[in-house]
């Protein structure tokens, strides 16, 4: 029907009022024509859903009354007395935001939270013209049809054009404009000059996202969409006449500094998450415009989306598509939801899951599973997957899905940043429980292997698992470990076969700490000896003492005392058995092997001092040096100087420099030497001490050969010269200490001649206490880490952490057993999590290690412990979740391969762009998704082709 014939008809319509049936029929015919003829650039109009519903009720009233005809009477509903009245004038005021910014250059602004189908309906221009001619009203809200995809038929209605803030420099002006994302840079340039009344040739504009100059926008024919301009982004308008005075040396020099005047397609990946406003693509949400005005114009069909789809804010309305691309829809960022978007895109592009959820999966929902979410999580995920597999290249809001997620997993509520791997773990487990085909789980008791073949035991464990857990998630994503535990005491071996959903691989982060500690003995049986032990990385102080006691052969009547040394004194005793080893930060950690103390024993701490010059060197003073000694001392209320001397000399026996007993360079074979020298040497020293005392306490070390000068610190911090104390007993009180243990501080003042009798060099050498271990292959800083190396570290045998002690059925006690994992059964889809994040009580860090993972032919055949499986176990990468930036302000994206196109895409929230395969590998790779390669299926399909050849309603039902 051409324009010449339309005009007389409209005149006749104005002369008489059409019946509701005539209006309905006329609008139906116009909609049918518009569905076929819609093209890019056509105009659609917003109309409030409230008024549209009242018009639907009015034109459908003849279907709700009793109608009599020659074929009998049919009652369709209410009587005529309650028939809806003719609507008043169109009133779109509830769609308008009256509180628009004063600096806005847009006359009419829509509310930001409008949802198609709930708040408004989109009508073709001819339909709007008819309704507006019949009823009048307004305001008129036209919106253009744009091309939203690769094909010319991928049409969308841009309900929310880009809202851009123009920032004028150097005059500091600003303005807000609306412009279509399909407009060119030239049009933006023209509008900017028009707003600020500038001359075109004197102005350059910049992509000023995040208040940083990203690119000079000088490609005038490039669309804003291709230039990656986002909603609510800043555009810097720079006057060329002032460019030479800018800090970056003018527009052209800035281009050279940036290296390019075009944004690299992958550069957006490193940007932080954007707010829900800034990522809004501004497109309509209906699935097909024709559904708003169907040829079957009933109330149910005129309304667009079902209630479950009403929250798809700002998504795209696809119009009259013919064979469009599928699987290229982005997800809007609702505010720090990039972690969720990345995880979802990886799951929905898993071919097996895509096919499953695009078919009728509802029959498998387990509505009564107490471990599930009453099927709601599965349905929400299925609905979102179908939207994302809709035709075209649009943006979908995950708001309904996020609401369900927050309901069942409150940890993901709100708009804080989270871990995409944690979300994946919850989703896989939650979807499994919602779709578990087992309605009543039987109780099955696991049997011990008892020497049976691994193949038999593994199949038995798997059958028991499937009897209780049987879902699409188990079919696709679950594999099986072989777990071997060995008791360190009785050597009992326990083998179990457990299911797994994903592999969490360490990035060569050690599972144990190697600690080297200097061990002192109090009985003179050995020199101070460094001892190296491996402690679990998350181990406690009690674990350190246990392994150190074993290494030092601590006997039943002995114990180890750990102490931190500062300024050559014991700063504190490490007594808390639950103190994490990682919290012992002081490098100077020593251990003292002493007899177990009784109630009458106290500890004597001997601190070494020697004379050192002070100031200009003419005056000497006693300065502490070396490591202190610790000895138990039996004390019943009185002590003698000779007893303290004896305790000290006993410990110093291994350091005696005797021609017969020991050379200057002492070995560790001291017990034999001690047994020969103890009585003689102690007697010799006692005689010297007594002789010295009889001489009146003469401290002239030139005349003394073997006496050691001791000073005791009393409770008043006063020094007591033990060589002047009379033989009568005196009392000892423990000196102030930062530890709960009691110790008496005694200074050993070493004179020069004393060093002729004793070699104290062992007291001055303190080995490194803490270092990473076990030793790992050294890599240069730039050398990549192989994924196979990470897998080797994951499967390496290691002791259990103290929190996971194993109850040995033979010992009947908790044991820190060694554990070895092996891969026994591999899934169709193998999810690999690279453990980039580490947490402790005081630190949080991210490992930026570049992992060289294979994209094709990940071969795990040699890693499979089940050698009865003769098939090659090879996998191909098809998706990965990336994390950029730090833990506090990071951003997640996803790289996805579409098998039908054999092409990789970067999914950065709402922005989807093609990338080359070599761009897939980066240090941002966080969660990898591999799919098994089968000889009979070299080209995996995600079901997109079959869906594209069917009615698009399959993707949206």
């Amino acid at each position: 029907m051409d324009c010449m014939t339309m005009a007389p008809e409209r005149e006749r319509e104005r002369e008489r009022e059409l019946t509701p049936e005539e209006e309905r029929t006329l609008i139906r015919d116009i909609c049918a024509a518009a569905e076929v003829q819609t093209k890019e650039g056509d105009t659609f109009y917003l109309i409030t859903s409230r008024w549209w519903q009242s018009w639907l009720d009015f034109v459908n009233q003849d279907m709700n009354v009793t109608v009599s005809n020659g074929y009998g009477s049919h009652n369709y509903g209410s009587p005529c007395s309650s028939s809806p009245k003719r609507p008043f004038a169109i009133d779109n005021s509830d769609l308008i935001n009256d509180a628009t910014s004063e600096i806005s250059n847009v006359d009419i602004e829509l509310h930001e939270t409008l949802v198609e189908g709930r708040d408004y309906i989109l009508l073709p221009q001819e339909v709007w013209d008819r309704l507006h001619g019949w009823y009048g009203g307004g305001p008129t809200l036209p919106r253009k049809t744009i091309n939203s995809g690769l094909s010319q038929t991928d049409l969308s209605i841009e309900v929310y054009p880009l809202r851009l803030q123009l920032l004028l420099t150097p005059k500091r002006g600003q303005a807000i404009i609306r412009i279509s994302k399909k407009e060119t840079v030239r049009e933006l340039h023209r509008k900017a000059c028009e707003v600020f009344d500038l001359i075109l040739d004197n102005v350059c504009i910049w992509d000023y996202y995040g208040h940083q100059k990203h690119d000079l926008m000088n490609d005038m024919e490039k669309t804003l969409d291709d230039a990656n301009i986002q909603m609510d982004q800043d555009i810097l308008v720079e006057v060329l006449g002032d460019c030479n005075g800018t800090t970056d040396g003018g527009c052209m020099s800035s281009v050279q500094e940036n290296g390019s005047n075009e944004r690299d397609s992958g550069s957006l990946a490193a940007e932080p998450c954007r707010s829900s406003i800034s990522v809004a693509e501004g497109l309509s949400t209906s699935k097909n415009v024709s559904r708003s005005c169907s040829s079957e114009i009933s109330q149910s069909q005129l309304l667009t989306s079902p209630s479950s789809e009403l929250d798809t804010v700002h998504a795209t309305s696809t119009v009259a598509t013919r064979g469009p691309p599928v699987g290229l829809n982005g997800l809007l960022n609702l505010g720090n939801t990039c972690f969720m978007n990345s995880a979802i895109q990886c799951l929905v592009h898993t071919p097996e899951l895509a096919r499953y959820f695009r078919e009728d999966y509802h029959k498998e929902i387990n509505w009564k599973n107490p471990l599930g979410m009453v099927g709601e999580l599965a349905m929400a995920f299925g609905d979102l997957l179908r939207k994302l597999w809709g035709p075209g290249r649009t943006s979908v809001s995950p708001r309904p899905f996020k609401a369900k997620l927050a309901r069942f997993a409150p940890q993901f509520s709100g708009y804080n940043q989270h871990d995409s791997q944690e979300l994946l773990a919850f989703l896989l487990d939650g979807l499994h429980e919602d779709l578990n085909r087992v309605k009543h789980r039987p109780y099955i008791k696991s049997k011990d292997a008892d020497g049976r073949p691994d193949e038999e035991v593994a199949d038995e464990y798997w059958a028991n698992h499937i009897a209780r857990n049987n879902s699409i998630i188990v079919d696709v994503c679950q594999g099986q470990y072989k777990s071997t535990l060995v008791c360190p005491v009785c050597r009992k071996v326990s083998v179990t076969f457990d299911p797994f959903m994903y592999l969490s691989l360490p990035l060569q982060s050690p599972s144990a700490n190697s600690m080297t500690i200097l061990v002192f003995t109090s009985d003179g049986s050995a020199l101070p000896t460094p001892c190296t032990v491996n402690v679990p990385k998350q181990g406690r102080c009690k674990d350190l003492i246990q392994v150190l006691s074993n290494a030092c052969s601590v006997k039943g009547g002995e114990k180890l005392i750990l102490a931190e040394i500062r300024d050559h004194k014991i700063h504190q005793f490490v007594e808390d058995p639950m103190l994490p080893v990682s919290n012992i930060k002081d490098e100077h950690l020593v251990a003292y092997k002493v007899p177990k103390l009784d109630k009458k024993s106290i500890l004597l701490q001997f601190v070494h001092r020697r004379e050192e010059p002070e100031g200009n060197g003419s005056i000497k003073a006693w300065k502490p040096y070396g490591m202190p000694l610790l000895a138990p001392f039996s004390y019943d209320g009185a002590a003698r100087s000779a007893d303290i001397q004896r305790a000290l000399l006993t410990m110093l026996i291994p350091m005696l420099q005797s021609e017969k007993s020991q050379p200057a360079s002492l070995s560790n074979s001291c017990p034999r030497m001690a047994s020969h020298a103890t009585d003689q040497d102690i007697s010799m020293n006692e005689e010297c001490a007594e002789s010295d005392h009889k001489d009146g306490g003469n401290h002239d070390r030139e005349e003394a050969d073997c006496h050691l000068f001791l000073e005791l610190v009393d409770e008043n911090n006063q020094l007591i010269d033990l060589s002047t104390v009379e033989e009568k007993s005196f009392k000892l009180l423990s000196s102030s200490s930062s530890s709960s243990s009691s110790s008496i501080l005694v200074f050993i003042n070493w004179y020069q001649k004393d060093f002729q009798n004793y070699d104290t060099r062992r007291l001055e050498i303190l080995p490194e206490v803490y270092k990473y271990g076990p030793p790992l292959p050294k890599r240069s800083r730039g050398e990549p880490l192989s994924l196979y190396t990470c897998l080797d570290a994951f499967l390496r045998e290691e002791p259990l952490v103290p929190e996971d002690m194993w109850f040995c059925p033979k010992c009947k006690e908790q044991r820190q057993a060694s554990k070895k994992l092996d891969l026994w059964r591999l899934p169709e889809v193998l999810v690999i999590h690279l453990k980039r994040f580490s947490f402790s009580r005081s630190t949080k860090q991210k490992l930026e290690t570049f992992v060289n993972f294979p994209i094709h032919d990940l071969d795990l055949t040699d890693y499979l412990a089940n050698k009865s499986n003769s098939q090659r176990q090879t996998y191909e990468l098809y998706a990965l979740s990336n994390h950029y930036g730090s833990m506090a302000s990071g951003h997640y994206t996803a790289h996805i391969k579409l098998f039908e196109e054999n092409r990789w895409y970067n999914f950065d929230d709402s922005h989807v762009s093609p990338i080359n395969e070599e761009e897939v590998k980066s240090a941002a790779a966080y969660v990898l998704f591999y799919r098994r390669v089968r000889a009979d299926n070299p080209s995996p399909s995600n079901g997109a082709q079959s869906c594209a050849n069917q009615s698009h309603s399959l993707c949206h039902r």
Side-chain angles (χ1 to χ4, degrees):
M1 187 178 296
D2 56 30
C3 297
M4 297 299 295
T5 58
M6 288 288 292
E9 289 186 9
R10 292 181 182 177
E11 291 297 329
R12 287 194 294 271
E13 291 170 12
R14 293 191 183 97
E15 295 175 1
R16 69 177 181 84
E17 188 172 278
L18 299 180
T19 64
E21 183 179 3
E22 289 175 332
E23 289 189 14
R24 184 178 73 244
T25 303
L26 184 57
I27 295 300
R28 179 196 63 195
D29 295 340
I30 297 174
C31 286
E35 179 179 359
V36 178
Q37 298 173 2
T38 301
K39 60 185 181 299
E40 185 177 2
D42 286 353
T43 303
F44 280 70
Y45 290 78
L46 277 76
I47 190 169
T48 176
S49 292
R50 176 180 47 80
W51 188 94
W52 177 251
Q53 184 61 53
S54 66
W55 181 81
L56 285 177
D57 294 339
F58 172 67
V59 298
N60 289 325
Q61 61 182 298
D62 60 337
M63 301 176 66
N64 297 325
V65 297
T66 301
V67 179
S68 298
N69 52 40
Y71 299 98
S73 299
H74 303 273
N75 194 318
Y76 285 89
S78 306
C80 295
S81 58
S82 61
S83 298
K85 296 181 180 180
R86 182 179 178 83
F88 294 105
I90 299 171
D91 182 11
N92 284 333
S93 59
D94 55 348
L95 304 180
I96 306 303
N97 183 7
D98 294 327
T100 54
S101 174
E102 295 181 357
I103 63 173
S104 174
N105 295 285
V106 183
D107 295 330
I108 299 177
E109 280 282 289
L110 300 179
H111 284 293
E112 291 291 339
T113 58
L114 298 181
V115 178
E116 186 181 3
R118 185 189 71 188
D119 302 312
Y120 68 90
I121 302 296
L122 285 165
L123 303 176
Q125 180 169 356
E126 184 62 23
V127 174
W128 168 261
D129 289 343
R130 293 283 180 161
L131 293 175
H132 190 259
W134 295 338
Y135 296 93
T140 302
L141 303 173
R143 293 294 185 268
K144 292 290 185 181
T145 304
I146 64 173
N147 183 283
S148 60
L150 299 175
S151 169
Q152 292 298 319
T153 60
D154 299 337
L155 303 179
S156 305
I157 301 167
E158 194 174 30
V159 175
Y160 289 89
L162 289 176
R163 179 174 52 209
L164 304 177
Q165 179 167 242
L166 306 180
L167 302 176
L168 181 64
T169 183
K171 297 182 180 180
R172 298 184 178 275
Q174 59 180 346
I176 293 179
I177 64 169
R178 285 279 189 181
I179 186 171
S180 171
K181 63 192 294 184
K182 292 301 179 180
E183 286 288 359
T184 62
V185 172
R186 185 184 305 280
E187 180 62 16
L188 174 61
H189 187 234
R190 187 194 65 78
K191 281 198 171 190
C193 293
E194 179 180 306
V195 167
F196 295 117
D197 194 19
L198 302 171
I199 300 174
L200 288 172
D201 294 340
N202 291 346
V203 172
C204 61
I205 56 176
W206 292 84
D207 177 352
Y208 202 54
Y209 179 79
H211 283 256
Q212 292 183 353
K213 284 186 178 182
H214 283 275
D215 295 305
L216 176 65
M217 302 176 67
N218 60 354
D219 187 348
M220 293 300 173
E221 302 309 318
K222 199 174 191 177
T223 67
L224 301 182
D225 189 27
D226 292 337
N228 203 19
I229 302 302
Q230 304 293 317
M231 179 71 75
D232 282 339
Q233 185 175 324
D234 293 332
I235 299 295
L236 186 66
V237 181
E238 193 170 25
V239 181
L240 285 175
D242 298 308
C243 281
N244 291 331
T246 59
T247 58
D248 48 12
C251 298
M252 295 310 294
S253 63
S254 297
V255 177
Q256 295 170 358
E257 289 173 10
N258 285 332
S260 173
N261 60 3
E262 293 185 11
R263 179 185 293 238
D264 180 73
S265 61
S267 64
L268 185 63
E271 296 174 0
C273 298
R274 300 168 187 175
S275 68
S276 57
I277 297 177
S278 66
V279 299
E281 290 295 312
L283 302 178
S284 166
T285 64
S286 68
K287 302 299 176 293
N288 196 300
V289 169
S290 63
R291 294 181 65 181
S292 296
C293 310
S294 172
S295 58
E296 297 294 327
I297 190 163
S298 66
Q299 179 175 347
S300 62
Q301 289 171 316
L302 278 167
L303 291 176
T304 55
S305 304
S307 59
S308 64
E309 300 174 349
L310 290 182
D311 286 337
T312 314
V313 184
H314 298 178
T316 304
S317 173
T318 306
V319 182
T321 56
R322 299 182 184 89
V326 290
L328 292 176
N329 293 331
L331 281 166
L332 295 181
N333 192 319
L334 305 178
N336 282 332
T337 56
C338 56
F339 78 96
M340 182 180 72
N341 294 348
S342 174
I344 289 174
Q345 291 288 10
C346 291
L347 284 183
V348 302
H349 286 90
T350 298
E352 290 80 2
L353 297 183
R355 282 197 296 269
Y356 178 84
F357 281 99
R358 292 162 76 179
E359 296 172 355
D360 186 12
Y361 64 92
H362 293 83
K363 59 186 178 183
E364 290 199 339
I365 292 180
N366 193 331
W367 305 101
K368 297 182 179 180
N369 185 358
L371 301 179
M373 289 77 175
V374 205
E376 293 188 27
L377 183 66
M379 290 191 295
F381 180 80
D383 290 343
L384 182 59
L385 182 144
R386 293 184 178 196
K387 292 175 186 177
L388 290 173
W389 277 102
R393 298 184 63 179
T394 64
S395 297
V396 177
S397 170
R399 195 178 302 276
F401 175 81
K402 187 179 186 302
K404 294 292 184 185
L405 181 67
R407 176 181 175 185
F408 296 107
Q411 66 269 30
F412 297 117
S413 61
Y415 296 95
N416 294 325
Q417 184 67 277
H418 293 280
D419 190 327
S420 67
Q421 187 273 333
E422 291 180 0
L423 177 66
L424 278 167
F426 173 81
L427 277 181
L428 289 172
D429 186 63
L431 291 174
H432 158 65
E433 297 295 352
D434 267 4
L435 299 169
N436 196 348
R437 303 177 186 113
V438 179
K439 309 304 179 185
H440 303 285
R441 294 183 173 182
Y443 172 74
I444 303 174
K445 186 176 181 180
S446 299
K447 299 178 182 179
D448 194 30
D450 287 333
R452 291 181 293 162
D454 284 346
E455 291 78 8
E456 177 185 339
V457 179
D459 290 343
E460 180 182 284
Y461 269 85
W462 188 253
N464 293 345
H465 176 65
I466 295 299
R468 296 172 53 83
N469 302 275
N470 187 0
S471 69
I472 181 64
I473 304 299
V474 175
D475 297 342
V476 174
C477 299
Q478 284 198 356
Q480 190 179 30
Y481 287 134
K482 176 187 176 183
S483 177
T484 305
L485 292 172
V486 180
C487 177
V489 178
C490 69
R491 310 309 296 175
K492 164 70 177 177
V493 178
S494 174
V495 178
T496 57
F497 293 85
D498 306 310
F500 69 86
M501 195 86 75
Y502 50 86
L503 303 180
S504 289
L505 305 187
L507 302 189
Q508 271 200 324
S509 180
S511 58
N513 293 332
S514 178
M515 305 185 73
T516 303
I517 297 174
L518 198 61
V519 180
F520 292 86
T521 60
S522 62
D523 61 359
S525 62
L527 284 166
T529 305
C531 186
T532 301
V533 293
N534 288 330
V535 185
K537 190 175 181 182
Q538 304 301 325
R540 308 285 181 175
C541 179
K542 62 178 183 178
D543 305 305
L544 172 59
I545 293 177
Q546 179 63 45
V547 296
L548 195 59
S549 298
N550 294 338
C552 297
S553 301
V554 175
K555 299 171 185 167
E558 298 175 325
K559 73 171 186 176
L560 282 180
I561 297 178
L562 289 179
E564 288 187 14
I565 308 300
R566 292 187 186 177
D567 298 326
H568 309 285
K569 300 178 184 178
I570 294 178
H571 172 67
Q572 64 178 1
F573 292 100
V574 183
E575 299 174 305
D576 183 3
M578 299 307 294
L579 179 70
V581 173
S582 58
N583 284 13
I584 305 176
K585 299 179 180 179
D586 197 301
E587 289 185 353
H588 297 165
L589 186 67
V590 298
Y592 298 97
K593 184 164 66 169
V594 300
K596 289 184 178 179
L597 302 179
D598 55 31
K599 294 182 179 179
K600 296 183 179 180
S601 296
I602 60 174
L603 293 173
L604 295 178
Q605 178 191 166
F606 294 94
V607 176
H608 308 277
R609 296 197 304 184
R610 60 188 172 191
E611 287 187 309
E612 295 180 0
E614 199 175 55
N616 57 11
S618 59
I619 302 177
K620 291 186 177 181
W622 292 108
K623 299 289 186 181
Y625 81 100
M627 295 297 107
L629 301 175
L630 194 70
F633 185 75
S634 296
Y635 178 66
D636 56 1
R640 295 188 317 123
S641 173
D643 296 331
I644 297 177
Q645 285 274 358
R646 179 182 291 273
L648 170 62
L649 295 175
T650 299
M651 289 187 290
L652 293 179
I653 288 172
M655 302 179 198
L656 273 173
Q657 300 199 101
S658 170
E659 294 180 0
K660 295 182 179 180
S661 61
Q662 189 92 343
S665 178
L666 296 175
S667 67
N668 290 335
S669 57
C670 300
R672 180 183 57 81
M673 179 276 297
S675 63
H676 287 281
T678 300
D679 295 336
Q680 176 186 355
D681 294 330
I682 291 178
S683 176
M684 178 186 69
N685 281 289
E686 283 184 346
E687 291 175 1
C688 293
E690 291 175 2
S691 173
D692 184 72
H693 179 68
K694 291 177 181 178
D695 290 339
N698 181 12
H699 307 310
D700 185 1
R701 302 311 297 165
E702 297 295 331
E703 298 177 3
D705 294 326
C706 54
H707 181 70
L708 293 177
F709 179 27
L710 305 183
E711 291 183 308
L712 183 143
V713 181
D714 66 10
E715 68 273 15
N716 298 319
N717 285 329
Q718 299 296 319
L719 295 178
I720 301 176
D721 185 349
L722 295 184
S723 62
T724 64
V725 176
E726 298 179 1
E727 282 302 316
K728 65 180 182 180
S729 301
F730 60 93
K731 292 184 178 181
L732 296 177
L733 294 176
S734 61
S735 59
S736 59
S737 173
S738 58
S739 170
S740 60
S741 297
S742 299
S743 63
I744 304 298
L745 182 60
V746 180
F747 288 117
I748 310 173
N749 296 334
W750 290 88
Y751 285 91
Q752 200 62 37
K753 280 196 173 183
D754 295 329
F755 296 120
Q756 298 177 7
N757 298 324
Y758 295 95
D759 183 1
T760 62
R761 287 176 296 176
R762 285 293 185 102
L763 301 174
E764 301 182 59
I765 302 174
L766 188 68
E768 182 183 12
V769 169
Y770 170 84
K771 62 182 178 181
Y772 279 115
L776 297 170
K778 292 184 178 180
R779 295 184 298 113
S780 63
R781 186 170 183 178
E783 183 182 350
L785 175 65
S786 169
L787 183 65
Y788 294 108
T789 304
C790 298
L791 192 57
D792 290 332
F794 174 71
L795 299 176
R796 184 185 297 126
E797 183 177 0
E798 61 183 9
L800 295 173
V801 296
E803 290 79 2
D804 295 332
M805 298 282 276
W806 173 59
F807 182 80
C808 176
K810 188 174 180 180
C811 296
K812 304 299 182 182
E813 290 187 17
Q814 298 286 337
R815 299 296 189 193
Q816 191 176 7
S818 62
K819 183 176 183 179
K820 175 71 169 71
L821 287 179
D822 290 291
L823 300 179
W824 187 266
R825 188 188 309 266
L826 294 176
E828 290 298 310
V829 170
L830 179 63
V831 181
I832 296 179
H833 164 224
L834 302 178
K835 298 173 69 173
R836 293 196 176 277
F837 303 122
S838 63
F839 303 87
S840 66
R841 180 181 298 180
S842 57
T843 61
K844 299 179 181 179
Q845 65 175 352
K846 177 191 174 185
L847 298 176
E848 298 286 356
T849 308
F850 176 80
V851 179
N852 186 15
F853 51 89
I855 296 178
H856 306 284
D857 299 326
L858 171 66
D859 193 346
L860 300 179
T861 306
D862 294 337
Y863 288 92
L864 204 63
N866 182 9
K867 300 304 179 183
S868 63
N869 191 335
S870 59
Q871 293 183 348
R872 302 295 297 176
Q873 302 293 318
T874 57
Y875 286 82
E876 180 178 2
L877 186 75
Y878 70 90
L880 64 155
S881 174
N882 301 305
H883 181 271
Y884 298 87
S886 65
M887 296 180 64
S889 59
H891 180 55
Y892 287 92
T893 68
H895 291 336
I896 308 291
K897 181 178 182 179
L898 295 187
F899 289 110
E900 278 74 15
E901 299 184 28
N902 193 29
R903 189 173 188 181
W904 284 90
Y905 286 87
N906 178 48
F907 286 74
D908 186 355
D909 290 331
S910 58
H911 184 73
V912 181
S913 59
I915 58 174
N916 297 323
E917 187 173 282
E918 53 267 23
E919 298 178 62
V920 171
K921 292 185 180 183
S922 73
Y926 183 43
V927 184
L928 311 176
F929 288 74
Y930 283 93
R931 190 174 187 271
R932 190 195 302 274
V933 177
R934 294 187 179 275
D936 56 349
N937 185 24
S939 300
S941 171
N942 50 22
Q945 199 64 37
S946 60
C947 184
N949 296 331
Q950 300 173 4
S951 170
H952 296 309
S953 61
L954 175 63
C955 300
H956 300 292
R957 64 182 177 182

